[in-house]
Amino acid sequence: MARYTGSVCRLCRREGCKLFLKGDRCYSGKCSYVKRPTAPGVQTRSRKKVSEYGLQLREKQKVKRAYGMLESQFERYYRIAERMKGKSGENLLKLLESRLDNVVYRLGLADSRPQARQTVLHGHILVNGKKVDIPSYKISVGDEISVKKKSADTDRFKELRESEARPMPAWLSMDNANLTGKIVSEPEREDMDLTVEEHLIVEYYSK
């Protein structure tokens, strides 16, 4: 599958917010968005008023890029969310949060979603004791996420075992010592770590 291979810092600058695609660097003074919080490309002094469509497009692009997805895949998630009970926008965000690569990131087993995706693809992650190397795999309440025993002996995961546990969203629990996490409930809208106006995404796809 085709993937974006350019500078991810340009994506943050284009969307006008941090998408946290480079892990710890995003929290430091080295963050490119902090140094240059302007959209990439030639800068002009005149500021054009953003249209309603432009606002909707930018919000859709922001979420799509934060979760590292292509357009067709993202739209497919939206169509699934549209058929579910409840609000389409919230359903979409819950589906995205339930992806295995996102769960690996949220549990602290990776520093960013791109790194979490790579960790899953390389077969380091187990779901209920079985290897799953599909980043889009949908987790369910009660599932246990762990690191393969052989992988747990690598320096990166050794450091993680010895580090302090970082704050977890309410729907997850994590045992750093054993590199094991559990899905204790479904993700809720208030648990999302990205500032999103999901109604703009709904409006974008409703045209």
Side-chain angles (χ1 to χ4, degrees), residues 114-146:
Q115 188 184 72
R117 176 184 173 81
Q118 187 179 50
T119 300
V120 174
L121 284 172
H122 288 182
H124 298 304
I125 300 300
L126 306 178
V127 179
N128 298 325
K130 296 182 179 180
K131 185 179 80 171
V132 177
D133 56 7
I134 303 171
S136 61
Y137 179 86
K138 186 179 184 301
I139 55 84
S140 303
V141 176
D143 283 349
E144 185 177 88
I145 313 299
S146 57

PDB file of all heavy atoms in Angstrom, residues 114-146:
ATOM      1  N   PRO A 114       3.167   6.462  14.042  1.00  0.00           N
ATOM      2  CA  PRO A 114       3.973   5.834  12.990  1.00  0.00           C
ATOM      3  C   PRO A 114       4.888   4.736  13.540  1.00  0.00           C
ATOM      4  O   PRO A 114       5.037   3.680  12.931  1.00  0.00           O
ATOM      5  CB  PRO A 114       4.779   7.001  12.413  1.00  0.00           C
ATOM      6  CG  PRO A 114       3.901   8.196  12.626  1.00  0.00           C
ATOM      7  CD  PRO A 114       3.263   7.944  13.975  1.00  0.00           C
ATOM      8  N   GLN A 115       5.502   4.994  14.708  1.00  0.00           N
ATOM      9  CA  GLN A 115       6.357   3.978  15.313  1.00  0.00           C
ATOM     10  C   GLN A 115       5.534   2.776  15.764  1.00  0.00           C
ATOM     11  O   GLN A 115       5.969   1.627  15.643  1.00  0.00           O
ATOM     12  CB  GLN A 115       7.122   4.558  16.500  1.00  0.00           C
ATOM     13  CG  GLN A 115       8.169   3.602  17.062  1.00  0.00           C
ATOM     14  CD  GLN A 115       8.859   4.129  18.297  1.00  0.00           C
ATOM     15  OE1 GLN A 115       8.261   4.189  19.372  1.00  0.00           O
ATOM     16  NE2 GLN A 115      10.112   4.523  18.163  1.00  0.00           N
ATOM     17  N   ALA A 116       4.324   3.035  16.262  1.00  0.00           N
ATOM     18  CA  ALA A 116       3.442   1.941  16.696  1.00  0.00           C
ATOM     19  C   ALA A 116       3.057   1.077  15.500  1.00  0.00           C
ATOM     20  O   ALA A 116       3.015  -0.156  15.598  1.00  0.00           O
ATOM     21  CB  ALA A 116       2.194   2.514  17.351  1.00  0.00           C
ATOM     22  N   ARG A 117       2.767   1.719  14.378  1.00  0.00           N
ATOM     23  CA  ARG A 117       2.435   0.978  13.161  1.00  0.00           C
ATOM     24  C   ARG A 117       3.587   0.059  12.764  1.00  0.00           C
ATOM     25  O   ARG A 117       3.389  -1.114  12.439  1.00  0.00           O
ATOM     26  CB  ARG A 117       2.128   1.969  12.038  1.00  0.00           C
ATOM     27  CG  ARG A 117       1.852   1.310  10.700  1.00  0.00           C
ATOM     28  CD  ARG A 117       1.652   2.328   9.590  1.00  0.00           C
ATOM     29  NE  ARG A 117       1.561   1.675   8.308  1.00  0.00           N
ATOM     30  CZ  ARG A 117       0.462   1.093   7.832  1.00  0.00           C
ATOM     31  NH1 ARG A 117      -0.643   1.111   8.551  1.00  0.00           N
ATOM     32  NH2 ARG A 117       0.458   0.509   6.661  1.00  0.00           N
ATOM     33  N   GLN A 118       4.804   0.587  12.806  1.00  0.00           N
ATOM     34  CA  GLN A 118       5.980  -0.203  12.456  1.00  0.00           C
ATOM     35  C   GLN A 118       6.180  -1.359  13.446  1.00  0.00           C
ATOM     36  O   GLN A 118       6.527  -2.482  13.058  1.00  0.00           O
ATOM     37  CB  GLN A 118       7.216   0.696  12.436  1.00  0.00           C
ATOM     38  CG  GLN A 118       8.472   0.006  11.917  1.00  0.00           C
ATOM     39  CD  GLN A 118       9.652   0.944  11.884  1.00  0.00           C
ATOM     40  OE1 GLN A 118       9.938   1.618  12.883  1.00  0.00           O
ATOM     41  NE2 GLN A 118      10.341   1.017  10.764  1.00  0.00           N
ATOM     42  N   THR A 119       5.952  -1.085  14.724  1.00  0.00           N
ATOM     43  CA  THR A 119       6.097  -2.113  15.758  1.00  0.00           C
ATOM     44  C   THR A 119       5.138  -3.275  15.512  1.00  0.00           C
ATOM     45  O   THR A 119       5.506  -4.452  15.644  1.00  0.00           O
ATOM     46  CB  THR A 119       5.824  -1.511  17.153  1.00  0.00           C
ATOM     47  OG1 THR A 119       6.754  -0.456  17.396  1.00  0.00           O
ATOM     48  CG2 THR A 119       5.952  -2.560  18.245  1.00  0.00           C
ATOM     49  N   VAL A 120       3.904  -2.953  15.120  1.00  0.00           N
ATOM     50  CA  VAL A 120       2.913  -3.986  14.827  1.00  0.00           C
ATOM     51  C   VAL A 120       3.298  -4.755  13.563  1.00  0.00           C
ATOM     52  O   VAL A 120       3.260  -5.998  13.532  1.00  0.00           O
ATOM     53  CB  VAL A 120       1.508  -3.364  14.664  1.00  0.00           C
ATOM     54  CG1 VAL A 120       0.506  -4.424  14.206  1.00  0.00           C
ATOM     55  CG2 VAL A 120       1.049  -2.741  15.973  1.00  0.00           C
ATOM     56  N   LEU A 121       3.677  -4.037  12.507  1.00  0.00           N
ATOM     57  CA  LEU A 121       4.033  -4.668  11.228  1.00  0.00           C
ATOM     58  C   LEU A 121       5.208  -5.630  11.377  1.00  0.00           C
ATOM     59  O   LEU A 121       5.269  -6.655  10.685  1.00  0.00           O
ATOM     60  CB  LEU A 121       4.374  -3.597  10.193  1.00  0.00           C
ATOM     61  CG  LEU A 121       3.201  -2.834   9.568  1.00  0.00           C
ATOM     62  CD1 LEU A 121       3.711  -1.679   8.725  1.00  0.00           C
ATOM     63  CD2 LEU A 121       2.357  -3.777   8.703  1.00  0.00           C
ATOM     64  N   HIS A 122       6.128  -5.322  12.291  1.00  0.00           N
ATOM     65  CA  HIS A 122       7.305  -6.170  12.491  1.00  0.00           C
ATOM     66  C   HIS A 122       7.033  -7.364  13.404  1.00  0.00           C
ATOM     67  O   HIS A 122       7.950  -8.129  13.714  1.00  0.00           O
ATOM     68  CB  HIS A 122       8.456  -5.336  13.045  1.00  0.00           C
ATOM     69  CG  HIS A 122       9.043  -4.406  12.025  1.00  0.00           C
ATOM     70  ND1 HIS A 122      10.118  -3.588  12.292  1.00  0.00           N
ATOM     71  CD2 HIS A 122       8.701  -4.147  10.733  1.00  0.00           C
ATOM     72  CE1 HIS A 122      10.413  -2.871  11.210  1.00  0.00           C
ATOM     73  NE2 HIS A 122       9.558  -3.200  10.258  1.00  0.00           N
ATOM     74  N   GLY A 123       5.793  -7.509  13.835  1.00  0.00           N
ATOM     75  CA  GLY A 123       5.399  -8.703  14.581  1.00  0.00           C
ATOM     76  C   GLY A 123       5.792  -8.715  16.041  1.00  0.00           C
ATOM     77  O   GLY A 123       5.904  -9.793  16.644  1.00  0.00           O
ATOM     78  N   HIS A 124       5.983  -7.543  16.648  1.00  0.00           N
ATOM     79  CA  HIS A 124       6.388  -7.493  18.062  1.00  0.00           C
ATOM     80  C   HIS A 124       5.202  -7.584  19.024  1.00  0.00           C
ATOM     81  O   HIS A 124       5.410  -7.765  20.219  1.00  0.00           O
ATOM     82  CB  HIS A 124       7.134  -6.184  18.347  1.00  0.00           C
ATOM     83  CG  HIS A 124       8.403  -6.014  17.569  1.00  0.00           C
ATOM     84  ND1 HIS A 124       9.430  -6.933  17.612  1.00  0.00           N
ATOM     85  CD2 HIS A 124       8.804  -5.034  16.718  1.00  0.00           C
ATOM     86  CE1 HIS A 124      10.416  -6.524  16.837  1.00  0.00           C
ATOM     87  NE2 HIS A 124      10.056  -5.372  16.277  1.00  0.00           N
ATOM     88  N   ILE A 125       3.983  -7.434  18.512  1.00  0.00           N
ATOM     89  CA  ILE A 125       2.812  -7.313  19.381  1.00  0.00           C
ATOM     90  C   ILE A 125       1.926  -8.558  19.347  1.00  0.00           C
ATOM     91  O   ILE A 125       1.664  -9.130  18.284  1.00  0.00           O
ATOM     92  CB  ILE A 125       1.980  -6.075  18.980  1.00  0.00           C
ATOM     93  CG1 ILE A 125       2.824  -4.801  19.099  1.00  0.00           C
ATOM     94  CG2 ILE A 125       0.722  -5.962  19.825  1.00  0.00           C
ATOM     95  CD1 ILE A 125       3.349  -4.511  20.487  1.00  0.00           C
ATOM     96  N   LEU A 126       1.454  -8.935  20.541  1.00  0.00           N
ATOM     97  CA  LEU A 126       0.527 -10.062  20.673  1.00  0.00           C
ATOM     98  C   LEU A 126      -0.826  -9.536  21.151  1.00  0.00           C
ATOM     99  O   LEU A 126      -0.879  -8.629  21.980  1.00  0.00           O
ATOM    100  CB  LEU A 126       1.048 -11.086  21.686  1.00  0.00           C
ATOM    101  CG  LEU A 126       2.456 -11.651  21.482  1.00  0.00           C
ATOM    102  CD1 LEU A 126       2.790 -12.607  22.631  1.00  0.00           C
ATOM    103  CD2 LEU A 126       2.578 -12.360  20.145  1.00  0.00           C
ATOM    104  N   VAL A 127      -1.888 -10.108  20.622  1.00  0.00           N
ATOM    105  CA  VAL A 127      -3.243  -9.805  21.092  1.00  0.00           C
ATOM    106  C   VAL A 127      -3.823 -11.106  21.626  1.00  0.00           C
ATOM    107  O   VAL A 127      -3.980 -12.076  20.883  1.00  0.00           O
ATOM    108  CB  VAL A 127      -4.136  -9.256  19.960  1.00  0.00           C
ATOM    109  CG1 VAL A 127      -5.545  -8.985  20.486  1.00  0.00           C
ATOM    110  CG2 VAL A 127      -3.537  -7.984  19.373  1.00  0.00           C
ATOM    111  N   ASN A 128      -4.073 -11.137  22.921  1.00  0.00           N
ATOM    112  CA  ASN A 128      -4.557 -12.353  23.587  1.00  0.00           C
ATOM    113  C   ASN A 128      -3.620 -13.535  23.338  1.00  0.00           C
ATOM    114  O   ASN A 128      -4.055 -14.671  23.120  1.00  0.00           O
ATOM    115  CB  ASN A 128      -5.981 -12.684  23.116  1.00  0.00           C
ATOM    116  CG  ASN A 128      -6.967 -11.595  23.454  1.00  0.00           C
ATOM    117  OD1 ASN A 128      -6.873 -10.949  24.486  1.00  0.00           O
ATOM    118  ND2 ASN A 128      -7.937 -11.375  22.575  1.00  0.00           N
ATOM    119  N   GLY A 129      -2.315 -13.246  23.357  1.00  0.00           N
ATOM    120  CA  GLY A 129      -1.306 -14.299  23.227  1.00  0.00           C
ATOM    121  C   GLY A 129      -0.969 -14.701  21.807  1.00  0.00           C
ATOM    122  O   GLY A 129      -0.088 -15.543  21.597  1.00  0.00           O
ATOM    123  N   LYS A 130      -1.618 -14.112  20.805  1.00  0.00           N
ATOM    124  CA  LYS A 130      -1.355 -14.464  19.403  1.00  0.00           C
ATOM    125  C   LYS A 130      -0.800 -13.260  18.655  1.00  0.00           C
ATOM    126  O   LYS A 130      -1.262 -12.139  18.837  1.00  0.00           O
ATOM    127  CB  LYS A 130      -2.643 -14.941  18.731  1.00  0.00           C
ATOM    128  CG  LYS A 130      -3.205 -16.222  19.334  1.00  0.00           C
ATOM    129  CD  LYS A 130      -4.456 -16.670  18.592  1.00  0.00           C
ATOM    130  CE  LYS A 130      -5.013 -17.962  19.184  1.00  0.00           C
ATOM    131  NZ  LYS A 130      -6.241 -18.410  18.470  1.00  0.00           N
ATOM    132  N   LYS A 131       0.197 -13.513  17.810  1.00  0.00           N
ATOM    133  CA  LYS A 131       0.814 -12.424  17.060  1.00  0.00           C
ATOM    134  C   LYS A 131      -0.173 -11.830  16.063  1.00  0.00           C
ATOM    135  O   LYS A 131      -0.831 -12.546  15.321  1.00  0.00           O
ATOM    136  CB  LYS A 131       2.050 -12.925  16.304  1.00  0.00           C
ATOM    137  CG  LYS A 131       2.811 -11.799  15.600  1.00  0.00           C
ATOM    138  CD  LYS A 131       4.046 -12.301  14.884  1.00  0.00           C
ATOM    139  CE  LYS A 131       3.677 -12.913  13.538  1.00  0.00           C
ATOM    140  NZ  LYS A 131       4.865 -13.219  12.730  1.00  0.00           N
ATOM    141  N   VAL A 132      -0.265 -10.512  16.066  1.00  0.00           N
ATOM    142  CA  VAL A 132      -1.105  -9.794  15.104  1.00  0.00           C
ATOM    143  C   VAL A 132      -0.232  -8.713  14.480  1.00  0.00           C
ATOM    144  O   VAL A 132       0.300  -7.855  15.184  1.00  0.00           O
ATOM    145  CB  VAL A 132      -2.336  -9.141  15.780  1.00  0.00           C
ATOM    146  CG1 VAL A 132      -3.132  -8.341  14.747  1.00  0.00           C
ATOM    147  CG2 VAL A 132      -3.217 -10.199  16.424  1.00  0.00           C
ATOM    148  N   ASP A 133      -0.049  -8.778  13.164  1.00  0.00           N
ATOM    149  CA  ASP A 133       0.809  -7.799  12.486  1.00  0.00           C
ATOM    150  C   ASP A 133       0.012  -6.911  11.528  1.00  0.00           C
ATOM    151  O   ASP A 133       0.519  -6.438  10.516  1.00  0.00           O
ATOM    152  CB  ASP A 133       1.947  -8.499  11.743  1.00  0.00           C
ATOM    153  CG  ASP A 133       1.459  -9.546  10.750  1.00  0.00           C
ATOM    154  OD1 ASP A 133       0.232  -9.637  10.538  1.00  0.00           O
ATOM    155  OD2 ASP A 133       2.302 -10.261  10.186  1.00  0.00           O
ATOM    156  N   ILE A 134      -1.263  -6.686  11.863  1.00  0.00           N
ATOM    157  CA  ILE A 134      -2.140  -5.840  11.050  1.00  0.00           C
ATOM    158  C   ILE A 134      -2.456  -4.577  11.849  1.00  0.00           C
ATOM    159  O   ILE A 134      -3.211  -4.633  12.829  1.00  0.00           O
ATOM    160  CB  ILE A 134      -3.439  -6.578  10.688  1.00  0.00           C
ATOM    161  CG1 ILE A 134      -3.127  -7.881   9.968  1.00  0.00           C
ATOM    162  CG2 ILE A 134      -4.344  -5.699   9.837  1.00  0.00           C
ATOM    163  CD1 ILE A 134      -4.331  -8.773   9.769  1.00  0.00           C
ATOM    164  N   PRO A 135      -1.889  -3.429  11.477  1.00  0.00           N
ATOM    165  CA  PRO A 135      -2.100  -2.190  12.248  1.00  0.00           C
ATOM    166  C   PRO A 135      -3.565  -1.803  12.404  1.00  0.00           C
ATOM    167  O   PRO A 135      -3.950  -1.211  13.416  1.00  0.00           O
ATOM    168  CB  PRO A 135      -1.341  -1.141  11.427  1.00  0.00           C
ATOM    169  CG  PRO A 135      -0.296  -1.918  10.700  1.00  0.00           C
ATOM    170  CD  PRO A 135      -0.948  -3.229  10.369  1.00  0.00           C
ATOM    171  N   SER A 136      -4.401  -2.125  11.418  1.00  0.00           N
ATOM    172  CA  SER A 136      -5.811  -1.727  11.467  1.00  0.00           C
ATOM    173  C   SER A 136      -6.683  -2.711  12.243  1.00  0.00           C
ATOM    174  O   SER A 136      -7.895  -2.508  12.350  1.00  0.00           O
ATOM    175  CB  SER A 136      -6.365  -1.584  10.046  1.00  0.00           C
ATOM    176  OG  SER A 136      -6.287  -2.823   9.356  1.00  0.00           O
ATOM    177  N   TYR A 137      -6.080  -3.750  12.796  1.00  0.00           N
ATOM    178  CA  TYR A 137      -6.845  -4.756  13.549  1.00  0.00           C
ATOM    179  C   TYR A 137      -7.658  -4.068  14.648  1.00  0.00           C
ATOM    180  O   TYR A 137      -7.134  -3.258  15.413  1.00  0.00           O
ATOM    181  CB  TYR A 137      -5.891  -5.778  14.164  1.00  0.00           C
ATOM    182  CG  TYR A 137      -6.560  -6.860  14.981  1.00  0.00           C
ATOM    183  CD1 TYR A 137      -7.047  -8.017  14.369  1.00  0.00           C
ATOM    184  CD2 TYR A 137      -6.704  -6.731  16.357  1.00  0.00           C
ATOM    185  CE1 TYR A 137      -7.654  -9.021  15.120  1.00  0.00           C
ATOM    186  CE2 TYR A 137      -7.311  -7.724  17.116  1.00  0.00           C
ATOM    187  CZ  TYR A 137      -7.787  -8.858  16.481  1.00  0.00           C
ATOM    188  OH  TYR A 137      -8.395  -9.847  17.236  1.00  0.00           O
ATOM    189  N   LYS A 138      -8.939  -4.379  14.722  1.00  0.00           N
ATOM    190  CA  LYS A 138      -9.823  -3.730  15.700  1.00  0.00           C
ATOM    191  C   LYS A 138      -9.805  -4.487  17.022  1.00  0.00           C
ATOM    192  O   LYS A 138     -10.131  -5.665  17.076  1.00  0.00           O
ATOM    193  CB  LYS A 138     -11.251  -3.654  15.163  1.00  0.00           C
ATOM    194  CG  LYS A 138     -12.203  -2.852  16.066  1.00  0.00           C
ATOM    195  CD  LYS A 138     -13.603  -2.792  15.472  1.00  0.00           C
ATOM    196  CE  LYS A 138     -14.529  -1.915  16.325  1.00  0.00           C
ATOM    197  NZ  LYS A 138     -14.659  -2.381  17.697  1.00  0.00           N
ATOM    198  N   ILE A 139      -9.438  -3.784  18.069  1.00  0.00           N
ATOM    199  CA  ILE A 139      -9.427  -4.415  19.389  1.00  0.00           C
ATOM    200  C   ILE A 139     -10.813  -4.314  20.022  1.00  0.00           C
ATOM    201  O   ILE A 139     -11.634  -3.486  19.629  1.00  0.00           O
ATOM    202  CB  ILE A 139      -8.352  -3.790  20.302  1.00  0.00           C
ATOM    203  CG1 ILE A 139      -8.516  -2.268  20.430  1.00  0.00           C
ATOM    204  CG2 ILE A 139      -6.964  -4.107  19.795  1.00  0.00           C
ATOM    205  CD1 ILE A 139      -9.498  -1.814  21.450  1.00  0.00           C
ATOM    206  N   SER A 140     -11.065  -5.177  21.012  1.00  0.00           N
ATOM    207  CA  SER A 140     -12.352  -5.206  21.705  1.00  0.00           C
ATOM    208  C   SER A 140     -12.129  -5.167  23.209  1.00  0.00           C
ATOM    209  O   SER A 140     -11.021  -5.445  23.698  1.00  0.00           O
ATOM    210  CB  SER A 140     -13.127  -6.487  21.332  1.00  0.00           C
ATOM    211  OG  SER A 140     -13.305  -6.574  19.931  1.00  0.00           O
ATOM    212  N   VAL A 141     -13.186  -4.841  23.931  1.00  0.00           N
ATOM    213  CA  VAL A 141     -13.102  -4.802  25.393  1.00  0.00           C
ATOM    214  C   VAL A 141     -12.703  -6.182  25.910  1.00  0.00           C
ATOM    215  O   VAL A 141     -13.244  -7.202  25.491  1.00  0.00           O
ATOM    216  CB  VAL A 141     -14.459  -4.389  26.005  1.00  0.00           C
ATOM    217  CG1 VAL A 141     -14.401  -4.444  27.529  1.00  0.00           C
ATOM    218  CG2 VAL A 141     -14.848  -2.991  25.538  1.00  0.00           C
ATOM    219  N   GLY A 142     -11.730  -6.213  26.799  1.00  0.00           N
ATOM    220  CA  GLY A 142     -11.250  -7.472  27.357  1.00  0.00           C
ATOM    221  C   GLY A 142      -9.994  -7.992  26.698  1.00  0.00           C
ATOM    222  O   GLY A 142      -9.319  -8.868  27.248  1.00  0.00           O
ATOM    223  N   ASP A 143      -9.653  -7.465  25.518  1.00  0.00           N
ATOM    224  CA  ASP A 143      -8.434  -7.908  24.830  1.00  0.00           C
ATOM    225  C   ASP A 143      -7.192  -7.528  25.625  1.00  0.00           C
ATOM    226  O   ASP A 143      -7.144  -6.474  26.266  1.00  0.00           O
ATOM    227  CB  ASP A 143      -8.344  -7.280  23.432  1.00  0.00           C
ATOM    228  CG  ASP A 143      -9.278  -7.960  22.428  1.00  0.00           C
ATOM    229  OD1 ASP A 143      -9.827  -9.028  22.760  1.00  0.00           O
ATOM    230  OD2 ASP A 143      -9.434  -7.419  21.316  1.00  0.00           O
ATOM    231  N   GLU A 144      -6.193  -8.400  25.571  1.00  0.00           N
ATOM    232  CA  GLU A 144      -4.922  -8.144  26.246  1.00  0.00           C
ATOM    233  C   GLU A 144      -3.842  -7.924  25.195  1.00  0.00           C
ATOM    234  O   GLU A 144      -3.663  -8.740  24.294  1.00  0.00           O
ATOM    235  CB  GLU A 144      -4.545  -9.321  27.137  1.00  0.00           C
ATOM    236  CG  GLU A 144      -3.290  -9.080  27.969  1.00  0.00           C
ATOM    237  CD  GLU A 144      -2.981 -10.239  28.900  1.00  0.00           C
ATOM    238  OE1 GLU A 144      -2.276 -11.171  28.454  1.00  0.00           O
ATOM    239  OE2 GLU A 144      -3.440 -10.210  30.062  1.00  0.00           O
ATOM    240  N   ILE A 145      -3.135  -6.812  25.298  1.00  0.00           N
ATOM    241  CA  ILE A 145      -2.068  -6.465  24.365  1.00  0.00           C
ATOM    242  C   ILE A 145      -0.739  -6.651  25.073  1.00  0.00           C
ATOM    243  O   ILE A 145      -0.533  -6.116  26.170  1.00  0.00           O
ATOM    244  CB  ILE A 145      -2.187  -4.995  23.898  1.00  0.00           C
ATOM    245  CG1 ILE A 145      -3.626  -4.658  23.484  1.00  0.00           C
ATOM    246  CG2 ILE A 145      -1.203  -4.712  22.776  1.00  0.00           C
ATOM    247  CD1 ILE A 145      -4.165  -5.467  22.349  1.00  0.00           C
ATOM    248  N   SER A 146       0.160  -7.413  24.474  1.00  0.00           N
ATOM    249  CA  SER A 146       1.459  -7.646  25.107  1.00  0.00           C
ATOM    250  C   SER A 146       2.565  -7.656  24.055  1.00  0.00           C
ATOM    251  O   SER A 146       2.304  -7.655  22.855  1.00  0.00           O
ATOM    252  CB  SER A 146       1.448  -8.978  25.873  1.00  0.00           C
ATOM    253  OG  SER A 146       1.118 -10.059  25.007  1.00  0.00           O
TER     254      SER A 146
END
